[in-house]
Amino acid sequence: MKSKKYYKGKRYRDLQRYIGKIDRWTKGKYWVSVLGKRFIIYPTVFSPKFFRDSEFFARELPINKGEKLLEIGCGSGIVSICAVGKGAGKVVCVDINPVAVKNTERNAGLHGMAGKIRVLHGDVYNPLLDGERFDSIFWNTPWGLVKKKRLDVYEQSLWDTEYRSTERFIAQSVNHLKARGRLLIGFSSTIGDLKYLALLLKKYGFRWKIVKTLESRSVNFSAKFEIIEARRFR
């Protein structure tokens, strides 16, 4: 398999400094507006106030009416809540951060969607029921490929050690996708290693394509984001 493109050097240090500033700026809960809706954001939860990808994924994620959706790494619940608004019949959310679980539950309640969104605490597929399957599984994956072994809760939303969590997400998805189901992957080719991701998808029998892109530019952070759709070919 090809050599990996690690996110390191000045780019890594600059983004780590930006994350440090976010920690100092957000000591308590605060409100944000995304696509005309108000959401509360809890400390340590990935925030659309500082990264525009959440709004992009919430707006552009392709949802089929009535489908059952699983979102890994739900954060504040914005993408799942908007998915229900676009017609998803049932949504299950999983997050490794217990604060994010509470945050998603709060926002689902605020938008009157508690009955359609089930929120679970755990790592990738661990908390799911045996045999539970979905039409679509979405994860705004931690894009940055790093060697660092110990990551705190916030870092785990941005970095993935040797892409182990990403590989597990792809490999074990076959146990939770319906026969004609698909993976929807939120990605940043600016920060992540798209070629290595493509090799992992091929390794586990998926064809993939980019269905939406966003060029995001700001004073503190600029990146290209993609939504990738992947389906099994074997």
Side-chain angles (χ1 to χ4, degrees), residues 63-67 86-89:
I63 298 295
N64 297 318
K65 191 170 183 178
E67 75 172 338
K86 289 190 283 186

Side-chain angles (χ1 to χ4, degrees), residues 66-130:
E67 75 172 338
K68 187 176 182 182
L69 171 71
L70 169 64
E71 183 184 6
I72 306 294
C74 56
S76 58
I78 290 170
V79 173
S80 286
I81 289 166
C82 290
V84 172
K86 289 190 283 186
K90 190 74 175 179
V91 178
V92 177
C93 300
V94 175
D95 206 293
I96 197 170
N97 181 355
V99 179
V101 171
K102 293 178 181 178
N103 199 167
T104 294
E105 289 175 335
R106 175 79 183 280
N107 280 322
L110 289 170
H111 289 273
M113 296 181 179
K116 287 194 171 184
I117 297 176
R118 186 167 106 246
V119 193
L120 305 172
H121 175 232
D123 187 13
V124 192
Y125 302 111
N126 281 354
L128 296 178
L129 299 173
D130 289 341

Side-chain angles (χ1 to χ4, degrees), residues 1 44 48 53 62 78 88 92 104 107 109 113 121 141 151 167 178 182 192 197 203 215 221 233-234:
M1 196 169 274
T44 77
D53 58 302
I78 290 170
V92 177
T104 294
N107 280 322
M113 296 181 179
H121 175 232
T141 58
L151 302 172
E167 182 166 6
K178 293 182 181 181
R182 60 183 176 167
L197 175 66
K203 176 181 177 181
E215 293 275 0
F221 181 75
F233 65 81
R234 67 169 186 261

